[in-house]
Amino acid sequence: NAEYMGFACQPSLMCAPSLLRGGSISGVDNEQQIGAELLRIRRLPWAKHLLFSLLKGRPVIVLAEAAHAREVSLFVVALAVFVPGLARCVFPWLTRELRLTDLADVRLCGLSKAVRLSRPLRAHATVVDFEAEELTGPGYEDGSFIDELIGARVDWLDPGAYLAHVHLCFQSFGLLAMQFYYLCCVGLSPCWLEAGADLGWLKTALRPKDGALPSSRERPAVVLAHMRVLGQDVDIITHLVSVVRRQQVALLQSMRLEVGFESVPQTIRLDCARVSVFRTSKPR
């Protein structure tokens, strides 16, 4: 609820010399605090794999002891920046057992280790062990989106500046997803355009000829290649497009039924990608 989300954004009082468990933050607003938490998260050795799972729509579950509930809540609230779609998919701290059907509503959550996490859930979700500082999930090895988001080449000193950088990256990803959606997913074949339409935002190779976009079974792959969306970044764009489609369906249903977005259920997406275990190296 809103009250608990407000609590989750308060400074952590349990400081620990760990990359995952950052120190307390005081005297800053929520935006600065979340930016500071993101700066700590980006220093995790498996940060890129974590962000990849979130951006491709694979559920992420952060397991922790109850003593670290407050820290996990801040961790999850900060990571919520990378969850496309409706905000109700993020739960800072849960103490009940999750079922496979819960993946229709949960994209990111903190979960107490006091409850059991079933094998099917472990197979279809990325699991972060908060105390052990390890991640079990698919790796991100082929792409450029996540490296751009992390901004490893820049020494970010201001949390607000890094948060602004993240939003700028999302603007870029969103533009690519919008182009791909309207070129390949709207379902108009051929896609007729208004006379004199301004297509300056489209790459020359993707601009229509004779007033209509070309029709081809390979067109999605060709479009993505021209947009230089390659490797595992294709999974990210595909998920962003699916989010747009679901939100448009929700909007149409809300207009017909005169209900809000919250009454339109999510769909269960099972991610069967091969997973690996990524650990934080401990100093000797």
Side-chain angles (χ1 to χ4, degrees), residues 61-208:
I61 301 172
V62 184
L63 293 177
E65 301 291 349
H68 295 136
R70 190 179 180 112
E71 294 176 275
V72 170
S73 295
L74 177 58
F75 183 72
V76 169
V77 168
L79 285 175
V81 172
F82 302 103
V83 180
L86 302 177
R88 71 190 181 94
C89 297
V90 178
F91 300 87
W93 184 248
L94 297 175
T95 56
R96 65 169 180 82
E97 184 175 348
L98 290 176
R99 302 180 299 272
L100 193 61
T101 53
D102 290 326
L103 296 186
D105 295 306
V106 177
R107 289 291 180 266
L108 170 64
C109 73
L111 182 66
S112 171
K113 287 184 176 179
V115 299
R116 172 177 167 270
L117 189 62
S118 66
R119 181 175 293 182
L121 274 172
R122 289 183 179 271
H124 298 293
T126 292
V127 179
V128 175
D129 189 314
F130 193 75
E131 286 78 22
E133 297 191 7
E134 69 176 34
L135 175 145
T136 303
Y140 179 80
E141 307 295 344
D142 183 17
S144 62
F145 284 7
I146 305 298
D147 294 330
E148 183 180 349
L149 263 177
I150 291 176
R153 297 181 179 180
V154 179
D155 186 14
W156 299 96
L157 301 178
D158 180 64
Y162 179 65
L163 190 57
H165 165 75
V166 170
H167 288 308
L168 184 62
C169 289
F170 271 117
Q171 271 194 324
S172 174
F173 303 159
L175 179 60
L176 290 173
M178 181 272 292
Q179 292 181 35
F180 180 69
Y181 179 71
Y182 283 103
L183 288 174
C184 302
C185 306
V186 173
L188 302 178
S189 180
C191 180
W192 300 102
L193 300 170
E194 296 180 2
D198 181 8
L199 299 178
W201 52 273
L202 265 183
K203 292 182 179 294
T204 303
L206 298 179
R207 294 180 187 177

Side-chain angles (χ1 to χ4, degrees), residues 228-277:
R228 297 185 180 179
V229 177
L230 306 171
Q232 290 171 291
D233 292 341
V234 172
D235 295 334
I236 296 174
I237 291 297
T238 301
H239 176 59
L240 293 178
V241 166
S242 71
V243 169
V244 172
R245 185 185 298 115
R246 287 199 303 271
Q247 289 181 334
Q248 287 191 335
V249 170
L251 176 61
L252 291 174
Q253 291 186 3
S254 68
M255 292 171 64
R256 290 183 59 188
L257 304 176
E258 296 184 352
V259 296
F261 285 105
E262 298 296 332
S263 65
V264 180
Q266 294 273 9
T267 56
I268 299 177
R269 290 184 67 249
L270 298 181
D271 190 322
C272 301
R274 179 179 298 179
V275 303
S276 304
V277 178

Side-chain angles (χ1 to χ4, degrees), residues 3-76:
E3 181 179 356
Y4 188 78
M5 288 290 288
F7 159 77
C9 289
Q10 296 304 310
S12 170
L13 299 180
M14 293 172 278
C15 305
S18 159
L19 287 174
L20 206 55
R21 285 171 265 167
S24 62
I25 310 169
S26 59
V28 295
D29 58 22
N30 288 348
E31 182 174 309
Q32 285 288 316
Q33 185 172 341
I34 290 175
E37 186 70 9
L38 291 177
L39 284 177
R40 281 191 287 274
I41 291 171
R42 68 186 280 274
R43 293 197 294 267
L44 290 166
W46 34 264
K48 66 178 183 178
H49 311 305
L50 174 60
L51 300 190
F52 176 57
S53 287
L54 292 171
L55 289 175
K56 75 185 293 248
R58 182 180 172 93
V60 172
I61 301 172
V62 184
L63 293 177
E65 301 291 349
H68 295 136
R70 190 179 180 112
E71 294 176 275
V72 170
S73 295
L74 177 58
F75 183 72
V76 169

